[in-house]
Amino acid sequence: MRAGHLELVVGEAPFCVWDWHLRERNQQFLDSIDHQFFLSVCASQVGALLSEEENERRHAALALRLFYGHAQETLLSLLAATVQAPDCAFAWLSCYREPHLRLVIDALSNERPVHSRLTTESLSWESLSNCIFQMLSSTEQEKAARIKAAFALFWRQSAEAYLEEHNQVEFNSIKHGLRARSGGFSLALAPEASPGSPGPASQLHTVIAGEFGSSFMSVCKLSPSPHITFKDMAVNWKPESLIAAIELSALSISNIATFLRLYAGAEPDGQRYQWPKNMELFDVASQQLPGRTRFSFGPSVTTDHIQPLTPREILLRYGQ
């Protein structure tokens, strides 16, 4: 007796998943998707943002930033799984790595061909949204069109943010060992007293300031490999925008699960879509602080400042 199987592509890598109960396993996975988790954890940090204690506010904001990154990757990976393996998203999510996810969301953002089970003629965030929300009531076509367009734009913006290197470095710095320091950065300028000599502090003019943000180090490669150095980076952000984005990510996850259940053959009467009561939440999620939101310093070391070592020399010295 042969087990059941399903073919899927993860990025450009082909897989074939075998199991005795594939439909049941897929249903079990879809039933386990709980978008309320993101909403409840987000709500637990909102009160701390209003604290009079500065450290408590900064720590709450950093926790929201970390959780925003978590929600963002969950959303985008579930969307990518929907594109490539809507009949076994659980297998796609178990097999993918970051390059696979980047390939799919880059294809959606730039409307490039990508392996897909969906029947749309061309794939984009807009066509994907139309596909996921295809069962919205046809009696409210104008409202349905606004909902589809709003979620498509939010997913596009989430993908662009995810692909930005500084966001990935920041997320990993917070996630792995708290390498990021909480708190926003400020930048003040003053005219030089003379060329190369700083002016008096009294003439400093603040051009950028933010209470909430983080600062962290980023690796810079030096040629020849394996030499590296570091630069310092700082990012400012608005907790209100993070909260809105987490809420919209949670609603998106719920809607994707609804579509996947319908795709698996669930009765439409038992499924429903969700969207914010106030559609302005989409605008809040995309709001940025005025002016520059990130800053970097260095690196101060270049290839002219080093004496290159080969990998073998490093290993020999390490042994000593």
Side-chain angles (χ1 to χ4, degrees):
M1 184 176 178
R2 183 174 295 174
H5 72 282
L6 285 171
E7 303 87 5
L8 68 149
V9 175
V10 180
E12 294 183 339
F15 288 86
C16 187
V17 55
W18 296 82
D19 198 272
W20 294 112
H21 306 287
L22 280 171
R23 286 178 61 88
E24 292 81 356
R25 190 176 292 280
N26 186 56
Q27 187 62 48
Q28 182 183 24
F29 164 73
L30 295 177
D31 290 343
S32 72
I33 297 176
D34 182 11
H35 74 285
Q36 293 288 346
F37 167 73
F38 292 95
L39 297 177
S40 61
V41 174
C42 180
S44 69
Q45 299 297 329
V46 172
L49 287 172
L50 305 175
S51 171
E52 295 182 0
E53 175 58 44
E54 180 184 356
N55 280 340
E56 188 172 353
R57 292 199 306 274
R58 288 193 296 107
H59 292 159
L62 196 64
L64 280 170
R65 185 66 168 179
L66 174 63
F67 202 61
Y68 159 75
H70 180 191
Q72 183 185 57
E73 185 168 345
T74 300
L75 165 61
L76 293 172
S77 61
L78 195 54
L79 285 167
T82 300
V83 168
Q84 293 203 299
D87 49 354
C88 54
F90 69 92
W92 195 98
L93 292 167
S94 297
C95 295
Y96 91 93
R97 297 294 181 266
E98 186 183 354
H100 303 133
L101 177 57
R102 284 177 168 268
L103 184 150
V104 177
I105 64 178
D106 180 71
L108 285 164
S109 294
N110 295 288
E111 300 187 32
R112 296 193 183 109
V114 66
H115 294 288
S116 175
R117 288 282 193 193
L118 301 181
T119 56
T120 55
E121 291 185 5
S122 62
L123 274 170
S124 65
W125 295 112
E126 292 73 23
S127 65
L128 179 58
S129 182
N130 287 333
C131 182
I132 288 174
F133 289 102
Q134 62 186 275
M135 297 299 290
L136 273 179
S137 173
S138 59
T139 59
E140 301 181 57
Q141 291 185 359
E142 185 177 342
K143 181 179 181 180
R146 290 201 309 271
I147 291 169
K148 292 175 183 178
F151 274 104
L153 179 58
F154 173 66
W155 298 343
R156 179 180 292 278
Q157 291 169 340
S158 297
E160 289 172 354
Y162 177 82
L163 292 174
E164 289 186 1
E165 182 184 2
H166 77 276
N167 285 334
Q168 281 292 311
V169 175
E170 182 195 26
F171 179 57
N172 289 330
S173 295
I174 302 172
K175 181 173 63 173
H176 298 300
L178 291 174
R179 299 195 300 261
R181 299 181 295 278
S182 61
F185 72 89
S186 299
L187 178 64
L189 302 176
E192 293 181 324
S194 59
S197 300
S202 59
Q203 294 186 15
L204 283 172
H205 174 65
T206 300
V207 293
I208 304 171
E211 180 183 0
F212 300 110
S214 69
S215 53
F216 46 94
M217 293 182 290
S218 177
V219 174
C220 300
K221 294 182 179 180
L222 293 172
S223 181
S225 180
H227 298 278
I228 61 172
T229 186
F230 287 85
K231 66 178 178 180
D232 295 305
M233 303 185 71
V235 180
N236 285 343
W237 23 259
K238 294 178 63 174
E240 297 86 354
S241 295
L242 298 181
I243 294 168
I246 293 170
E247 291 180 5
L248 291 174
S249 295
L251 294 177
S252 298
I253 290 166
S254 175
N255 292 327
I256 298 165
T258 294
F259 168 75
L260 292 175
R261 292 189 189 97
L262 291 168
Y263 191 92
E267 290 295 329
D269 291 344
Q271 306 300 321
R272 66 189 184 95
Y273 292 105
Q274 299 187 61
W275 53 87
K277 294 180 180 179
N278 186 349
M279 294 293 284
E280 291 182 0
L281 191 68
F282 287 97
D283 296 326
V284 176
S286 64
Q287 286 176 356
Q288 299 286 335
L289 289 167
R292 192 180 183 94
T293 58
R294 60 182 185 267
F295 203 78
S296 62
F297 312 87
S300 58
V301 174
T302 69
T303 53
D304 295 333
H305 302 132
I306 69 171
Q307 180 181 348
L309 298 173
T310 66
R312 177 176 173 78
E313 288 173 326
I314 294 171
L315 291 172
L316 287 173
R317 297 188 183 193
Y318 196 87
Q320 295 173 355

